[in-house]
Amino acid sequence: MLSGAEGALYGAGGGLVVEAVVTFGRLHAWQQARHVSRVAGDVLPKLGAYIDPPADSLAALFRVVLGCAAGWLLHGELGGMLAAVAVGASAPAVLAQMGSATTVAEALQLGPAPGTAAEAAVAVVPAPAAPPSASAAPGAPGAPAAPAASAGPTSPSPASGEAGP
């Protein structure tokens, strides 16, 4: 288990890793556009068309802060450094999911949403019909079948999940 400071540090690192991957994607797109323009003889695109330093820096800062916050919030649930980095990398999605979670009190006040499994569980389920017995005596419909004769003294085994006698 990680301390709060370790969770925050590794979570921030996870956010930083994701931002590095995003920045690399933008640099790679710029590189590809330059190659295409060079072959076609067109004007080479400027880096500013692919990277906006003020906006990208602010987005990176928030991604690192969200990673730090997620790592700190979940430090008690994290088993190691890699888990904290993963939480930090997925911080925007993790924190959005935590923010939209419904509490038990809210769920009880609102009731089941239309078309959910809770609504389907209330539906009346008919009782299964007993299959007609093959060994029922004529004139006694649905009479219980006589137990089959067995070669040795065995007791029937209970079905899975049933208690035996």
Side-chain angles (χ1 to χ4, degrees):
M1 189 151 352
L2 299 174
S3 71
E6 288 173 325
L9 180 66
Y10 294 136
L16 193 60
V17 166
V18 170
E19 190 57 37
V21 170
V22 168
T23 302
F24 172 76
R26 291 181 182 144
L27 287 173
H28 184 68
W30 174 63
Q31 177 193 28
Q32 295 297 337
R34 284 183 60 91
H35 286 296
V36 168
S37 296
R38 188 176 301 274
V39 168
D42 296 338
V43 176
L44 299 178
K46 297 193 181 292
L47 180 60
Y50 291 87
I51 294 179
D52 182 12
D56 293 342
S57 298
L58 188 60
L61 174 69
F62 273 92
R63 193 176 305 250
V64 169
V65 168
L66 285 175
C68 180
W72 179 76
L73 284 172
L74 298 173
H75 75 275
E77 304 297 323
L78 302 174
M81 178 189 71
L82 290 177
V85 170
V87 164
S90 61
V94 169
L95 294 176
Q97 182 69 31
M98 288 175 65
S100 67
T102 303
T103 64
V104 174
E106 290 171 343
L108 291 175
Q109 287 178 346
L110 298 175
T116 61
E119 188 178 84
V122 177
V124 177
V125 178
S133 175
S135 64
S150 63
T154 60
S155 63
S157 62
S160 65
E162 293 182 14

